[in-house]
Amino acid sequence: MDFICVLMLIPRSTYLEKELEKRFNLLKLWTFPDKTQFIKDHAESVRAIVGSGISTIDADLISAFPNLEIVASFSVGLDNVDLELCKEKGIRVTNTPDVLTDDVADLAIGLMLAVLRRLCESDRYVRAGNLKKGDYKLTTKFTGKTVGIIGLGRIGQAIAKRSEAFSCPIAYHSRSEKPDVKYKYYPSVAELAANSDILVVACALTQESRNIVNREVMDALGPKGVLINIARGPHVDEPELVSALVEGRLGGAGLDVYQNEPEVPEELFKLENVVLLPHVGSGTNETRKAMADLVIANLEAHFSNKPLLTPVV
């Protein structure tokens, strides 16, 4: 398959790059200073695109490659891919579900503990030599807190299972109630927030779920409530989040994603009740390798006329 041209949009995994180079004619878009000229030069040859959750695969890019057959995304979320156009043109689309579920769910629990028990601030307290001056202030217990989850898919259910181990009652909101789920269902996010101590965003990003966590939801969660976002930044109205935290209308937040990455509101940097992570939900060696292997397996299956492992379109 070394004659098949595969275009990788941004650097995400050295392992993935090396494995793709063993199998295909890999073109790395970021290594070409003149992107427009590159696309003109390779318009006819590119048959596959490897993207990620932060690379845009829109109508302009898709239309630039008339022989494009498949888009293999190194991510679960596909809000950055024009799925309708791919479907219309008969372009297959795959992603990497399941393999990153555990890591993202683990991180969500870590953020809950970090915010409630002030782990990051406690670390800084010790490093600054303050332990000699006296005990650190009291924090908030995690065990037994009600965890509300927006979106009860693979990751949402994994977060729920882990939270149950901490004796946390679980509630959720999704587009419809799930008949086979024992957790309490709320028909609106505001109702879920009003009945939760911790609100976790774990749904897919769609037009309907943009700003799903707005001022009403934050006020319902309240001055003792904690917001955790391990999904996508645009799920949360970020200016309203900053205001709620600064004004004390929201108790705290643990964020792995942001509205305009890599930009992060500087107002959050000074807040002790906020834990900020650099979008590392799936960022372990084991999971990134599994994601890369799945991307490769989907490409090999497609070009061997075999069923795709994780088809979306």
Side-chain angles (χ1 to χ4, degrees):
M1 296 182 184
D2 56 359
F3 60 90
I4 296 172
C5 252
V6 173
L7 173 63
M8 193 169 181
L9 299 179
I10 59 173
R12 294 296 286 164
S13 164
T14 302
Y15 169 78
L16 176 58
E17 291 175 37
K18 290 179 179 177
E19 293 302 311
L20 286 172
E21 286 172 335
K22 291 177 183 178
R23 297 164 171 80
F24 303 99
N25 176 16
L26 181 64
L27 302 174
K28 304 175 186 179
L29 183 59
W30 68 93
T31 64
F32 295 86
D34 189 338
K35 305 294 189 293
T36 302
Q37 187 59 50
F38 165 83
I39 290 174
K40 288 181 180 178
D41 292 343
H42 297 87
E44 299 293 330
S45 58
V46 170
R47 294 173 61 189
I49 290 178
V50 174
S52 73
I54 57 174
S55 55
T56 300
I57 304 176
D58 56 14
D60 289 341
L61 185 66
I62 293 168
S63 300
F65 300 105
N67 296 315
L68 181 63
E69 299 175 28
I70 183 171
V71 171
S73 185
F74 185 71
S75 69
V76 173
L78 292 165
D79 51 277
N80 57 324
V81 179
D82 191 332
L83 295 177
E84 287 301 317
L85 182 59
C86 287
K87 188 174 183 179
E88 179 184 317
K89 288 180 169 287
I91 298 168
R92 304 305 307 274
V93 178
T94 65
N95 62 348
T96 57
D98 296 320
V99 293
L100 51 69
T101 296
D102 285 339
D103 272 348
V104 177
D106 289 350
L107 196 76
I109 299 297
L111 280 171
M112 295 182 210
L113 285 164
V115 175
L116 290 172
R117 297 303 305 271
R118 301 291 179 91
L119 298 185
C120 298
E121 187 187 351
S122 296
D123 175 82
R124 291 192 293 269
Y125 185 84
V126 175
R127 290 174 187 270
N130 291 327
L131 192 57
K132 298 175 182 178
K133 301 177 183 179
D135 293 338
Y136 185 70
K137 63 189 178 185
L138 297 180
T139 59
T140 302
K141 185 176 183 178
F142 173 44
T143 294
K145 292 291 186 291
T146 298
V147 176
I149 303 173
I150 305 174
L152 205 65
R154 296 180 184 90
I155 293 173
Q157 291 187 47
I159 293 169
K161 182 178 180 181
R162 285 159 172 74
S163 300
E164 284 188 286
F166 289 86
S167 302
C168 294
I170 309 298
Y172 75 100
H173 167 80
S174 59
R175 283 175 291 186
S176 59
E177 186 172 2
K178 298 180 181 295
D180 56 341
V181 169
K182 62 183 178 180
Y183 309 130
K184 172 69 174 177
Y185 172 76
Y186 287 96
S188 76
V189 177
E191 289 178 83
L192 176 65
N195 289 279
S196 300
D197 300 304
I198 304 166
L199 185 66
V200 185
V201 186
C203 57
L205 181 61
T206 63
Q207 277 305 122
E208 293 74 26
S209 66
R210 286 181 181 272
N211 288 336
I212 196 170
V213 180
N214 53 26
R215 185 185 182 103
E216 179 189 8
V217 171
M218 294 176 211
D219 286 346
L221 190 54
K224 292 185 178 180
V226 169
L227 175 69
I228 304 294
N229 190 3
I230 44 76
R232 285 286 188 267
H235 282 124
V236 177
D237 187 328
E238 202 165 78
E240 287 291 349
L241 174 62
V242 171
S243 297
L245 289 165
V246 170
E247 295 167 12
R249 291 184 288 108
L250 183 63
L255 308 173
D256 187 41
V257 290
Y258 309 92
Q259 194 170 54
N260 300 300
E261 293 178 26
E263 300 298 324
V264 180
E266 292 187 9
E267 298 95 324
L268 298 178
F269 296 168
K270 301 174 184 177
L271 300 178
E272 296 176 347
N273 58 339
V274 177
V275 175
L276 305 171
L277 300 182
H279 200 156
V280 291
S282 64
T284 66
N285 291 316
E286 296 89 344
T287 290
R288 290 291 170 86
K289 180 180 182 299
M291 292 168 66
D293 288 339
L294 192 47
V295 168
I296 294 162
N298 275 310
L299 290 173
E300 289 184 325
H302 172 76
F303 290 112
S304 300
N305 294 316
K306 296 179 180 178
L308 298 176
L309 281 75
T310 54
V312 178
V313 173

